[in-house]
Every structure is written in structure tokens, then in C-alpha cells.
Amino acid sequence: MSVFMVAWTTFMTLLVLALGSTVDDRKPNTVFVAILIRNKAHTLPYFFSALESLDYPKDRMHLWIRSDHNIDNSIQILNKWLKTSGTAYHSVDVKVDNSSTKYDDESGPAHWPHSRFQHIVQLRESALRTARESWSDYIWFLDCDAFIINKSTLRHLIKKKYPVVAPMLKSDGLYSNFWCGMTDNYYYKRTSDYAPIVERKTKGCYQVPMIHSSVLIDLRLQITNYLTFNHSLLSNYMGPVDDIIIFAMSANFSGIPLHICNDEMYGFITIPLEKDSSLEMDISQLTNIKLEITVDNEPLQISSNLSDLDLPSALIDNMGLDNVFVINLARRTERRNRMHYCLNELGLNATFIEATDGRALTETDLEFMGVRLMPGYKDPYYKRPITKGEIGCFMSHYRIWAKTTYEGLDEVLVLEDDARFEPYFRFKLQMVLNELRRLKVAWDLVYIGRKSLNDNNESWLENSKLLVRPGYSYWTLGYLLSGRGAKKLLNANPLKKLLPVDEFLPIMFNQHPQTEWLEQFEERNLIALSASPLLIYPIRYTSDDGYVSDTEDSVTVQMTNDKLATEQKEIKEDL
């Protein structure tokens, strides 16, 4: 070694000693990752891609993988991923059992008989024992229907310095990977503090009685030696043979706190299947999660080494409709990309309509289009004139009504680009369409997303459990439109007395509270219905972080001496 190198090493050593914890040149902790795989061919490409995207050093991670009782090609996908990515990790221990595709007392792939629970308990206990014997610093139990999208998840969790900790994982509902309460007989109990944690209305780390699906244990702490999945080691345990419950109670009996952290957005998890569900239902669950992820995050990605897999995909069609229209501003490319992705996942072939950009409209444009505002119009809540954005929104819908009429279309679906799809959207939409055809009811417009402003004035359609007759409603997020309905909207000549589109529609089915506005339209015979429950909601509400409105956040327009005049101030209302 040169004199320079000796001097440099000595200097760095002295510097570390002098600064103490300020500089830490120690290697990262070793992490033993325990993964169990069964019939997850549809999730594995996304799961493994997320795993390998973590920013934690792979040479400090050991993979312990077990797979058995598969009826899909989970093992082929596992082997393909290991061949291309497995060598990046410190070591990999894989055991695959092809001897059986089901348990003897199992009724289907989603059924959890005693024998299955017992097998999982043995596997998890084996992983925990092996991690301890290999002197791993941490063990991370990670299920392959958990998608870790935060690349720094492991680093964040280790920094918490908890004995046992889990990142909170969101689903497409209130389901998550923790419990806030447990009954006396060891089962789930809903508590008032659960929803605020899941919805991240309160953020931080919370002590809870149960965590699962993504659990990190600090094996360096002596107290964690008491953790187990083996109920026979717990003298006071009288509960079921269930791996997550046994583990939770071993922590409880040993005084080991379990923490769930939602201080960051860590990832997502699918909702467990019901006993009699098929694997096809699990694929639908995956679609639900993939759509939900896009609300605040980039879509789930598949790494290049798995991109050539033949993954389940929906057939692309119009669900028997003549067209599916999506309204999108040219400058909102992120919304367009998201809607393209979501509709492709849902198997819907859509026509994107470039929205009329109210921000760019001039008084000359409005006069050229023949736009005249409804005299005396003021927003019902904020008493302001109509905005340019609201005019642009109306014109965008108007052009679809005109296109529907011009092309002679019978039934279309109209969507705005900020729609958040409910789980099983396609199935639910098909149910609504089937209901309309079964009842043979006349209809012009069917809301699938709206804000009801008068629930008391709504009634169920006779013989239907899916359709109501709507009262005064806001939003034009999404609706079915018949050819006859489009003609009625056009025949009302709305450009000559224009007001916001979500005020105009209730007028047309005679459910608007403003009598003076109703009287300006003689024919108010639009036959309107609404799906109930609704099928879509906005991506964000006005109180949410990141809320943006292209209709409300724009300048207002008003009539002055029979001419359009623009009020030169920006409006940011909270509807």
C-alpha cells in the first residue's frame, strides 16, 4: 500500500471516530426476504419488477422463495425472473414443489382449509428459523400480491428502529395489511381509528395488534427471539391455526409492539378472495389495483426482462355501445395518458375528443360559435358569472352530442378525463346496460358519475335495483347517452342561452330548482336515469391536495351591451 493510501485511510478513520454517528461507512444491514408463491402468475411480473426496483443494495439481500400447489405458470415466471435477475442478489434459496396442484380438503384455489393454514405456518416458521440461523439482521415477509412502489421502502422501515414494522399498503377500498382492533376470539374488529390511517388523514407510525403481508422484523433485537408462527410454542394461545394471528399473538404475549407506518405512500395490496372465487376473480382484483394506483402514481411497471411474457389482458371492445368518447384537453397529456392506460386495462376502445380549451377562447371565438350567455346567470353558490372554462366544458360536450347525432349513433358513453373508476367497473357497467335492456325502459341519458344535490327528490326505477330517477345533480364525469337524447339536447338550442353543462342537464330533465332558468327552455323532456351505486368518481375533490379544475380556475365572462365581455381576474372557486 502506498504512503498516500495509508495516510488517507488513517485520516478517514480518525474522521469517523471524531464525527461519531455523523458519518457511517458501515455496510447496510442484511435482509432476508421470505416469499411464498401460489397461483400468482398474474401478479408476479409486477411484484418482481417492484422488488428489483428497490434502492436497497441487492448484494445485502437474500431471497428465500417457496412455491407449491400451482395450477398456473407461476413457476415458469419465477424461473425466468431468477435467471435474469436472481444473480444480482447476495444469494437465493428456492424450493419448488410440483407434486400436487391442490390440498386434499380444498374446494378451490381461494379456499383456506386447515391443511393449507398448517402448511403456510410451517413455511413461515421455517423462513424465520433459517433467517435467525444465518445471522440475518432483518427478515422481511413479503407476499406477492403486495406491490411496493416506494423504492426507498426498506430504508425507511429500517430507520424506524422498531422491532416489527410494516408499511401501510392501500387497496381499492378500506382493506389494508393491518388491524386496529382484535376480538377476544382473535378475529378482526373495526375501530374508529382504522379509516383515518388507511385514508392517510393522519400520518405517522401507529402501534396496532396485527400487521401482515409486508412485515419487517429486526432480528438483532433479542426480544424478537420470542416471535413465532408455531402455535404449539405459545402456551396461552387458544386461537385458530392462522399464520398472521399466531404471529400477532406471539408478539402480544411477549410484549413486542407491532407498528404500521403510513408516513409515506409505500404500496398497494389486492383484497383477499372469497372462498369460492376463481383465479379469474384475482385477475380482476389486479386490474382494480392497477387502476387505483394511477390516481396518484405512475402505473405499475414490468421490468424489461419480463416484458415479453404473455400476460392476461382484456379483449378490447365497446361493450355493445356505438362509441366511447373521452373528453381531454390537449395540454393535459398526463390525464390523457392515464385514461389511455385505464381504458386499455378495462378493455374499452375509446375515441378521444380534444376538449375546447376555455382558457384560449376569445370573444371573437364565442361570437363565431354563436354563443350567447343566459341573461342574468350567476353561479347558484358563489354568485359569479360563468367562466371561460365552463364554456369550454359545455362546448366539448356539445360537440359530442352533435357528433352522435350527425353519425346516427344510438348509444354512446361519454367520459371526462378525471374519472376514477370503481372496482369491477366494466362488470358493473355491463350490469347497468343489461338492466336497461331487460326492463326495455325508454332513456335518453344515464349518469354513471354525478354529485346529487337533492337525494330526497329521487326514486328507484320500477323493478330495478341499479337505476334511479335523478334529482338536481352536478358533474358530467360520465354518462350514457342515446341518439334521441343527443337530439333533444341539441334541439334545445343551448348555445343561445348558455350556462354550465351540469346546470343545463338538470334543466332538460326538469329537475332544476331555479324556475326562471327552467322557463327559458320549453321542451324539458329528457328522460334521465342514474346508476346507483355510481360507477365513477372524480380523481380528486376540491379539498384534496393537488386538486386542479380547468373549468373553475379561469376568468369569468359576462354580457355587456349585448356583447360578451371577459372579467380580467382569475376565479378559484370551491364547488
Side-chain angles (χ1 to χ4, degrees), residues 442-486:
W443 63 274
D444 296 324
L445 181 144
V446 181
Y447 286 105
I448 65 169
R450 67 186 174 110
K451 179 180 180 180
S452 176
L453 299 176
N454 189 3
D455 291 337
N456 295 330
N457 198 31
E458 299 189 349
S459 60
W460 286 97
L461 183 65
E462 187 177 357
N463 298 321
S464 176
K465 295 182 179 180
L466 300 176
L467 296 164
V468 298
R469 298 192 183 277
Y472 182 35
S473 302
Y474 270 2
W475 301 346
T476 48
L477 274 174
Y479 54 89
L480 294 164
L481 182 67
S482 71
R484 182 183 61 186

Side-chain angles (χ1 to χ4, degrees), residues 211-499:
I211 52 178
H212 59 85
S213 299
S214 175
V215 177
L216 185 71
I217 305 171
D218 188 346
L219 298 178
R220 301 170 306 169
L221 299 178
Q222 229 173 355
I223 195 172
T224 61
N225 290 339
Y226 296 105
L227 294 170
T228 184
F229 293 92
N230 186 350
H231 64 284
S232 65
L233 299 179
L234 301 177
S235 58
N236 297 326
Y237 184 71
M238 303 295 290
V241 177
D242 184 316
D243 54 309
I244 65 173
I245 295 176
I246 296 170
F247 178 81
M249 295 313 299
S250 76
N252 178 276
F253 294 159
S254 306
I256 302 172
L258 305 178
H259 283 88
I260 189 79
C261 294
N262 71 350
D263 53 327
E264 302 270 347
M265 175 59 75
Y266 289 108
F268 289 79
I269 188 171
T270 57
I271 297 175
L273 295 176
E274 297 295 332
K275 175 183 174 180
D276 298 323
S277 298
S278 65
L279 288 184
E280 286 70 26
M281 180 61 73
D282 208 32
I283 294 172
S284 296
Q285 295 268 37
L286 175 61
T287 299
N288 295 342
I289 282 296
K290 290 167 74 175
L291 299 189
E292 186 65 18
I293 288 173
T294 66
V295 172
D296 292 304
N297 309 275
E298 291 298 315
L300 278 181
Q301 301 296 321
I302 296 179
S303 59
S304 58
N305 54 351
L306 295 176
S307 59
D308 60 343
L309 290 171
D310 185 18
L311 299 176
S313 59
L315 295 175
I316 306 296
D317 61 22
N318 288 339
M319 295 183 64
L321 300 168
D322 293 317
N323 212 329
V324 177
F325 295 113
V326 181
I327 298 172
N328 168 253
L329 281 169
R331 56 186 164 87
R332 293 296 185 193
T333 55
E334 76 289 351
R335 290 186 177 182
R336 180 184 179 92
N337 293 338
R338 175 185 168 274
M339 286 295 285
H340 259 305
Y341 174 86
C342 291
L343 293 170
N344 185 66
E345 289 293 326
L346 292 167
L348 282 176
N349 182 31
T351 300
F352 278 75
I353 301 296
E354 184 175 326
T356 301
D357 194 342
R359 180 188 294 180
L361 287 175
T362 65
E363 293 178 13
T364 301
D365 294 330
L366 297 176
E367 289 186 3
F368 178 78
M369 291 187 293
V371 172
R372 292 292 181 268
L373 304 185
M374 175 179 283
Y377 169 79
K378 294 287 184 181
D379 180 271
Y381 292 92
Y382 299 101
K383 311 305 178 185
R384 53 142 174 93
I386 194 170
T387 68
K388 277 189 169 185
E390 288 170 331
I391 295 175
C393 180
F394 191 105
M395 295 305 302
S396 302
H397 285 271
Y398 183 90
R399 285 163 45 220
I400 290 177
W401 306 338
K403 184 177 179 67
T404 299
T405 300
Y406 176 77
E407 296 182 2
L409 306 181
D410 290 327
E411 296 177 347
V412 301
L413 174 63
V414 182
L415 298 170
E416 294 181 342
D417 63 4
D418 59 344
R420 181 178 194 160
F421 297 94
E422 277 289 277
Y424 308 105
F425 169 83
R426 184 182 171 105
F427 172 78
K428 292 175 180 178
L429 178 59
Q430 189 64 63
M431 292 287 287
V432 169
L433 292 171
N434 292 346
E435 185 88 329
L436 290 169
R437 287 156 189 163
R438 178 183 69 83
L439 296 174
K440 297 180 181 179
V441 62
W443 63 274
D444 296 324
L445 181 144
V446 181
Y447 286 105
I448 65 169
R450 67 186 174 110
K451 179 180 180 180
S452 176
L453 299 176
N454 189 3
D455 291 337
N456 295 330
N457 198 31
E458 299 189 349
S459 60
W460 286 97
L461 183 65
E462 187 177 357
N463 298 321
S464 176
K465 295 182 179 180
L466 300 176
L467 296 164
V468 298
R469 298 192 183 277
Y472 182 35
S473 302
Y474 270 2
W475 301 346
T476 48
L477 274 174
Y479 54 89
L480 294 164
L481 182 67
S482 71
R484 182 183 61 186
K487 290 177 183 176
K488 287 183 179 180
L489 296 174
L490 295 176
N491 289 341
N493 203 12
L495 299 190
K496 298 302 181 183
K497 38 202 165 183
L498 191 140
L499 74 170

